Amino acid sequence: RRVDAVVLSARSRRGSGSVVRCVATASDVPPTVGETKLNFLKSYKRPIPSIYSTVLQELLVQQHLMRYKRTYQYDAVFALGFVTVYDQLMEGYPSIEDRDSIFKAYITALNEDPNQYRADALKMEGWARSQNGSSLVDFSSRDGEIESILKDISERAKGKGNFSYSRFFAVGLFRLLELANATEPTVLDKLCAALNINKRSVDRDLDVYRNILSKLVQAKELLKEYVDREKKKREERSETPKPNEAVTKFDGNLYSIRH
């Protein structure tokens, strides 16, 4: 069954920790969607269960389109959103090592740095845990690495630079609120206003995100039930004696009764 995908955007490169500016230029000749998908398959050659593969392929196609837009620019809020969605999507994956390898292959296929994504997500999470609703919204009046990142986003979203809003950006915002224990609707209103982000777009995209997660949970439950059912069938078959064995056992018992 097809699972809806999330629209995303990003760009990544190692930086000093301030604001990373990486923008696609008009002279760039971007790879095709097929080339990006092929890069992913070359980087990760092991089979991926269809419940995960379907969503990953859809996300990769959509992220490719965002990645090579002329106005494309990476930011750490998007990175947090992407990492959050990826980790929730891949939760319960049979192998943690494979899950990490798939993440690296996915980001690398887009000519980006998976380590930068993880590092930025961790920094944003650590910062958000030390905030509350008021301090989260009041970032523009303070100095600091994360505050500078948020100020830069606000300026670009206002029209003073490249900014590509995405659903993963919306998820990143919500994750900041979750970690700061400030999920009241009014806090999100104020944060969107401070960042010059359309609140209606964020609300809409968060609804899509929640719907996707709900479908994924249901799909994973169905998959688990199927796997458990097949495992039980295999165990029952292995415990059932073969016809010849059953006859031999019966004849042996009958011989012992007669003697």
Side-chain angles (χ1 to χ4, degrees):
R1 182 179 176 181
R2 183 180 180 276
V3 183
D4 294 335
V6 184
V7 179
L8 33 140
S9 73
R11 175 62 185 117
S12 174
R13 180 181 294 172
R14 291 187 186 280
S16 60
S18 297
V19 176
V20 180
R21 297 183 183 278
C22 301
V23 185
T25 64
S27 62
D28 290 337
V29 179
T32 65
V33 171
E35 288 171 334
T36 295
K37 293 175 73 174
L38 185 60
N39 287 338
F40 172 70
L41 295 174
K42 284 181 178 178
S43 296
Y44 189 82
K45 299 178 181 179
R46 299 183 65 180
I48 300 174
S50 60
I51 185 176
Y52 300 98
S53 178
T54 300
V55 182
L56 285 171
Q57 289 292 334
E58 290 188 7
L59 292 182
L60 186 61
V61 169
Q62 294 186 44
Q63 186 164 354
H64 169 96
L65 298 176
M66 291 295 293
R67 163 72 177 82
Y68 293 105
K69 283 179 63 176
R70 185 177 59 82
T71 57
Y72 178 77
Q73 184 167 328
Y74 169 89
D75 67 67
V77 175
F78 165 80
L80 174 61
F82 175 81
V83 169
T84 298
V85 171
Y86 180 86
D87 287 347
Q88 290 183 327
L89 164 65
M90 301 298 283
E91 185 179 6
Y93 197 79
S95 167
I96 294 177
E97 183 179 349
D98 286 346
R99 185 175 64 194
D100 293 339
S101 297
I102 293 170
F103 178 86
K104 292 177 181 177
Y106 181 105
I107 300 299
T108 302
L110 293 160
N111 293 317
E112 306 206 288
D113 183 359
N115 294 326
Q116 184 70 46
Y117 271 75
R118 287 291 185 187
D120 278 346
L122 284 174
K123 281 193 294 188
M124 297 300 291
E125 288 176 344
W127 178 82
R129 288 189 180 95
S130 67
Q131 306 299 311
N132 55 45
S134 298
S135 64
L136 196 65
V137 171
D138 196 33
F139 64 84
S140 61
S141 66
R142 304 194 312 275
D143 295 325
E145 180 182 7
I146 306 302
E147 286 81 359
S148 295
I149 290 173
L150 296 177
K151 289 175 189 177
D152 178 71
I153 291 172
S154 178
E155 288 296 306
R156 289 189 289 109
K158 196 174 182 179
K160 297 181 180 180
N162 290 297
F163 178 76
S164 294
Y165 170 80
S166 70
R167 286 178 181 167
F168 275 3
F169 184 90
V171 174
L173 286 185
F174 188 72
R175 183 61 177 153
L176 290 177
L177 296 177
E178 279 187 325
L179 294 170
N181 293 315
T183 54
E184 301 87 353
T186 54
V187 179
L188 181 57
D189 289 343
K190 294 176 182 177
L191 184 58
C192 287
L195 289 169
N196 295 305
I197 303 297
N198 188 313
K199 170 64 162 45
R200 292 179 64 182
S201 295
V202 172
D203 285 337
R204 179 197 64 220
D205 291 335
L206 287 177
D207 285 341
V208 171
Y209 169 63
R210 295 185 186 101
N211 186 42
I212 291 169
L213 287 183
S214 176
K215 289 182 178 180
L216 282 172
V217 168
Q218 293 173 17
K220 288 179 183 179
E221 288 176 350
L222 289 174
L223 178 62
K224 185 178 183 302
E225 290 175 4
Y226 171 77
V227 171
D228 290 344
R229 197 161 54 243
E230 290 301 304
K231 181 180 179 182
K232 185 177 180 180
K233 287 180 180 178
R234 286 195 301 270
E235 291 174 348
E236 290 175 348
R237 284 196 295 267
S238 65
E239 291 174 358
T240 302
K242 295 178 182 178
N244 289 340
E245 292 175 349
V247 171
T248 302
K249 185 176 180 181
F250 174 76
D251 287 346
N253 290 339
L254 183 60
Y255 178 83
S256 61
I257 292 173
R258 288 174 175 173
H259 294 78

